[in-house]
Amino acid sequence: MRLHGYFRSSASWRVRIALALKGLSWETIPHSLVDGEQRDPGFLALNPQGLVPALEIDGLVLTQSLAICEYLDETHPQPPLLPPDAAGRARARALAQAIACDLHPVQNLRVLQRIRAIAGNADAGTIWARETCDQGLDAFAELVGEGAGAFCLGDAPGLADLILVPQLANARRFGCDMRWPRLLAIEEACLSLSAFASTAPSAVEQG
Amino acid sequence: MRLHGYFRSSASWRVRIALALKGLSWETIPHSLVDGEQRDPGFLALNPQGLVPALEIDGLVLTQSLAICEYLDETHPQPPLLPPDAAGRARARALAQAIACDLHPVQNLRVLQRIRAIAGNADAGTIWARETCDQGLDAFAELVGEGAGAFCLGDAPGLADLILVPQLANARRFGCDMRWPRLLAIEEACLSLSAFASTAPSAVEQG
């Protein structure tokens, strides 16, 4: 199995966590987003979107981090990334999508580069990113609530957690004040696990 | 069942299509995004994100259009919105997310308002929206390919189609040149079905 990704890409880190939680091993094919390598013709032939991650597995090329995580969960059910009931799955997916659809896309590198170009200065991108992270994580913290366990949805990590942790790293990088004690507690619980810590950008950068 | 939405919201239209494909009936609770009604305290108590759609069903409040569609598919399996096999589901979800994560969020009203404010003129938002639609739908057309059936993934409409059709409407509104013959053929096949046509913004605006 070959994972096309980039060490600092949040969406790539999500998939690395899912693979590690499932106890799977993989080969990394790096594509530097800073150097625009995701637009190389060879990679575009694999994924016409020119985005990482893409996972070569079972003779398929899978794209989109959430779709990849659901595929891994269906084909390698243990440990589960989603709750066993439809209501629980809807809640887990809604939490994941609150970040993956409403927050992360509007603060990723592609958008920041456009904002900087429109504004004519580099700070505009960072201010935008910080504000969208603050708003998005305020809402996410409300959605998660106090909860009963150490993770977003109970006592085991799952889809919502593997989306949250990379986003918190982005928020920290953008200079957010990290005003979400419950989310930071979830992050600490996650990063105490090898599946999260060993796949972090700082851990895989040299790899 | 009560659907909190807005007639012109793409994400609300997705859920209306899913409900209609499943043969379900629902009450609409409108929230004007233009007037900012999705930020009213009463609605924020239901959905702290302050976004539509939200679906009250089975004693739950579900948010996030894709999570809602998956819930409806799990609880009302016929007709299915997703293929029966894991690889097919991964492909359907990846197509849906190519629009729902990478395209729609960066051209929705909230972002356009910010772009206009940064640029200091209204046109900047429309130019941005048109360019992101062009790029996103170019990639989507490549991902769909020529295909075998009238819809994105065969002979029946599903998750990818109910995400595509509202996005094509957005692209048309932003003045895109609609250079995707295969996608327009899929749109035509979809809009020949009542589940798509009867739930379109123009059809429900008076409702």
Side-chain angles (χ1 to χ4, degrees), chain A residues 64 74 89 102 114, chain B residues 64 74 89 102 114 131:
Chain A
Q64 292 292 335
E74 292 182 2
R89 280 193 295 277
D102 294 325
R114 296 283 297 270
Chain B
Q64 292 292 334
E74 291 182 3
R89 280 193 296 277
D102 294 325
R114 296 283 299 269
E131 285 182 19

Side-chain angles (χ1 to χ4, degrees), chain A residues 64-159:
Chain A
Q64 292 292 335
S65 60
L66 294 186
I68 294 171
C69 290
E70 295 246 10
Y71 178 87
L72 293 172
D73 207 37
E74 292 182 2
T75 54
H76 299 81
Q78 296 304 325
L81 299 179
L82 288 168
D85 59 308
R89 280 193 295 277
R91 182 158 160 69
R93 288 176 177 135
L95 286 172
Q97 291 163 19
I99 290 176
C101 297
D102 294 325
L103 170 48
H104 179 253
V106 298
Q107 56 85 83
N108 78 4
L109 186 61
R110 195 169 54 132
V111 175
L112 297 190
Q113 288 169 338
R114 296 283 297 270
I115 295 282
R116 287 173 187 140
I118 290 174
N121 70 76
D123 287 349
T126 308
I127 292 168
W128 162 288
R130 193 185 304 144
E131 285 181 19
T132 51
C133 278
D134 278 345
Q135 290 167 10
L137 289 169
D138 281 352
F140 188 90
E142 285 272 331
L143 288 167
V144 168
E146 283 311 308
F151 299 94
C152 285
L153 292 174
D155 292 322
L159 189 69

Side-chain angles (χ1 to χ4, degrees), chain B residues 103-181:
Chain B
L103 169 48
H104 179 253
V106 298
Q107 56 86 82
N108 78 4
L109 186 62
R110 196 168 52 133
V111 175
L112 297 191
Q113 289 170 338
R114 296 283 299 269
I115 295 282
R116 288 172 187 141
I118 289 174
N121 70 77
D123 286 349
T126 308
I127 293 168
W128 163 286
R130 192 184 304 144
E131 285 182 19
T132 52
C133 278
D134 278 345
Q135 290 168 8
L137 290 169
D138 281 351
F140 188 91
E142 284 272 332
L143 288 168
V144 168
E146 282 313 306
F151 299 94
C152 285
L153 293 174
D155 291 322
L159 190 68
D161 304 283
L162 66 84
I163 303 280
L164 171 63
V165 169
Q167 189 60 46
L168 287 172
N170 289 348
R172 202 172 276 116
R173 201 169 74 242
F174 293 133
C176 293
D177 62 8
M178 308 306 288
R179 60 197 181 206
W180 313 284

